[in-house]
Amino acid sequence: MSAHQKIIADFVSNRIEFVTSVPCKQLAGVIDQLGETPEIHHVPCNKEDEGMGLCAGAFMGGKRAAILMQNTALGVTLNTLATLTQFYRLPLPMLISYRGEVGEPVACQVEMALHTKALLAQLHIPTYHFHKPDDLAELDRILKHTFMCNKPVAILTDASFWKGVNA
Amino acid sequence: MTRFDILKAIAPLIRDHLVVCNIGSPSQELHMLDDQDSNFYMLGTMGLSSSIGLGLALVQDKIVVSIDGDGSVLTNLGTLPTIANNVADNFVLLVIDNGSYGSTGDQPTYAGQKTSLTALARASGCETVVECPAVEITDVLQTALGSGKMTVIICKCSSGNATVPVITMDPVVIRDRFMKAVKRV
Ligand SMILES: Cc1ncc(C[n+]2csc(CCOP(=O)(O)OP(=O)(O)O)c2C)c(N)n1
Ligand SMILES: [Mg+2]
């Protein structure tokens, strides 16, 4: 099973049935995999705060929801995370492409990488960092944790992780 | 007619449906006029009423009415293409277009000037878009609710806010009773 397949298999086994996304190159394989997963309704969004609104609606409608996004979008979602997801206590796994870490070819991406963990910490968002391929083994338990505690939870996946799993 | 008059007119039509209501005066006015478990009041997060409503409509069969505002749609314009391309025929987006940011003191929005939200919704690909003056809202909404077609209504009205109390209900209570209303047969 590829890492992409494993990620989506963990989503499915944790009864996630609704996923929204804005693409990142690092997440392309996962997004492709979504298209081959009839258990999951994929609704691409145009901005990540919009996507979190879709997820809030889907969750209140009875379907567990998740978002795939790039860390550069974190800033535009802060208000939504605080005043919707956290304020109303909605669970939300955020599978985040952590651009700007070692192995990053685009200098500009480093700028938001510098702020990513600080912003997540400021918001008291449980944050897990996948750096090595083996880190993926924890995804299933992180998802269970998310739906246990009804919080947004960040899973940062960096370039080394993707390089390792795609090797 | 103002937003308050519209909400008063449509309250009997929406009380038996799931309603997602925009931040500020719209939620406060609806809460005061006709509080229902099936109303999801947004206490913050300007712009996401249509997104929350669409997400809800896509995953279950009950009719969902999102009550939105022109300023809020303008701040989340990406919502219109998402709605257009993910058709939920149990979804009605009612944009109360008073041409202003009502809750914050009626500052003008561009929707009250050169920009047409109706044209934007159509250009985004929304298939059933109805623009109407406030006096026609009851008929237009009734038709939309009975049509079985996803409908975007742009209801043009005057600015102005009723003097109503803020909502002090805890957000988790709002969410919990709303989710129970979603599940109720
Ligand atoms: C991000 C953000 N910016 C500004 C505000 C302040 N604000 C609250 S409601 C509102 C007006 C919304 O206008 P509209 O959607 O047209 O609704 P109306 O009150 O006119 O019905 C504004 C600007 C806010 N709550 N959040
Ligand atoms: Mg307005």
Side-chain angles (χ1 to χ4, degrees), chain B residues 3 22 68-72 96-103 107 109:
Chain B
R3 178 196 328 97
N22 193 22
D68 217 334
D70 51 317
S72 298
I96 300 184
D97 183 356
N98 55 8
S100 64
Y101 295 101
S103 295
Q107 298 86 355
T109 67

Side-chain angles (χ1 to χ4, degrees), chain A residues 64-86:
Chain A
R64 289 181 169 187
I67 186 166
L68 310 185
M69 57 188 269
Q70 192 176 89
N71 61 323
T72 45
L74 197 56
V76 306
T77 65
L78 296 182
N79 180 47
T80 300
L81 284 166
T83 66
L84 181 65
T85 319
Q86 291 180 326

Side-chain angles (χ1 to χ4, degrees), chain A residues 29-40:
Chain A
V30 185
I31 292 171
D32 287 347
Q33 192 61 38
L34 278 176
E36 289 162 35
T37 309
E39 296 92 332
I40 294 180

Side-chain angles (χ1 to χ4, degrees), chain A residues 18 41 43-46 49-50 53-54 56-61 63 79-80 83-84 87-90 150, chain B residues 40-43 45 48 51-52 54-56 58-60 76 78-79 81-82 86 171-172 175 178-179 182:
Chain A
F18 186 96
H41 187 166
V43 178
C45 62
N46 296 306
D49 58 339
E50 179 210 351
L54 293 167
F59 180 77
M60 291 194 290
K63 304 273 194 232
N79 180 47
T80 300
T83 66
L84 181 65
F87 198 45
Y88 289 86
R89 290 188 46 75
L90 303 164
N150 286 343
Chain B
F40 182 76
Y41 303 113
M42 295 179 64
L43 302 173
T45 338
L48 294 192
S51 307
I52 297 169
L54 178 66
L56 177 62
L58 284 169
V59 302
Q60 55 80 55
N76 182 24
T79 191
T82 304
N86 294 276
V172 180
R175 193 263 267 189
F178 184 72
M179 287 180 71
V182 173

